[in-house]
Amino acid sequence: GGTAMAAVRDVEIDPEGTFKYILVRLQRPGGEEQRDIVRGTKAAEFHNHIFEKVNPEMEKLGYECKCLGGGKIDHNSKDKKIRVFGLSTGYGKADHSVTVEILKKVYRDYEITWSDDKK
């Protein structure tokens, strides 16, 4: 039931810097249960590199993954600020307001903002 899905972390992003991110929807095949997660890293040159890493991991756990879009995250851990912006050429723009809500669950004492700016 919910335990396996709960084991998947809401957010996995680099601790510092500006990098690409994607918003991913997890769903049990044929199930109602679904959840959105945020993944981002400087190691990814393109948004699909992130998805190609997440997808097999989640499939092993029995989830179907769908990328809802992407953008960029600017993570300033010193000032405890995160800015979500930009878009993914391949996946389109994620709903950054959804991303911010997910980030707030993890980075509770941060100031988290978003915009549709490209940079």
Side-chain angles (χ1 to χ4, degrees):
T3 48
M5 199 172 250
V8 176
R9 288 195 295 195
D10 287 313
V11 177
E12 283 182 22
I13 60 171
D14 286 2
E16 188 66 45
T18 304
F19 44 84
K20 292 182 165 67
Y21 93 89
I22 58 173
L23 187 60
V24 179
R25 175 155 292 166
L26 304 183
Q27 195 156 5
R28 286 277 184 219
E32 289 301 300
E33 195 188 9
Q34 61 177 41
R35 200 176 136 196
D36 296 344
I37 60 171
V38 174
R39 294 291 183 269
T41 175
K42 270 185 271 205
E45 194 186 341
F46 299 105
H47 287 90
N48 62 306
H49 292 173
I50 308 173
F51 190 72
E52 282 160 14
K53 186 175 170 288
V54 175
N55 198 33
E57 287 173 12
M58 297 304 148
E59 282 181 342
K60 271 192 211 119
L61 298 171
Y63 298 113
E64 288 173 345
C65 285
K66 183 177 157 203
C67 185
L68 301 177
K72 282 186 173 169
I73 286 176
D74 181 25
H75 188 173
N76 181 336
S77 53
K78 188 170 69 72
D79 295 340
K80 295 197 167 178
K81 286 185 178 175
I82 293 177
R83 190 167 71 93
V84 185
F85 64 101
L87 52 82
S88 159
T89 323
Y91 295 120
K93 185 176 78 69
D95 185 339
H96 296 326
S97 63
V98 171
T99 302
V100 165
E101 289 312 309
I102 298 169
L103 289 168
K104 278 179 180 170
K105 287 193 224 172
V106 179
Y107 296 95
R108 292 197 175 96
D109 54 345
Y110 268 61
E111 183 191 317
I112 305 175
T113 57
W114 69 271
S115 77
D116 288 329
D117 298 346
K118 296 284 190 292
K119 44 166 71 88

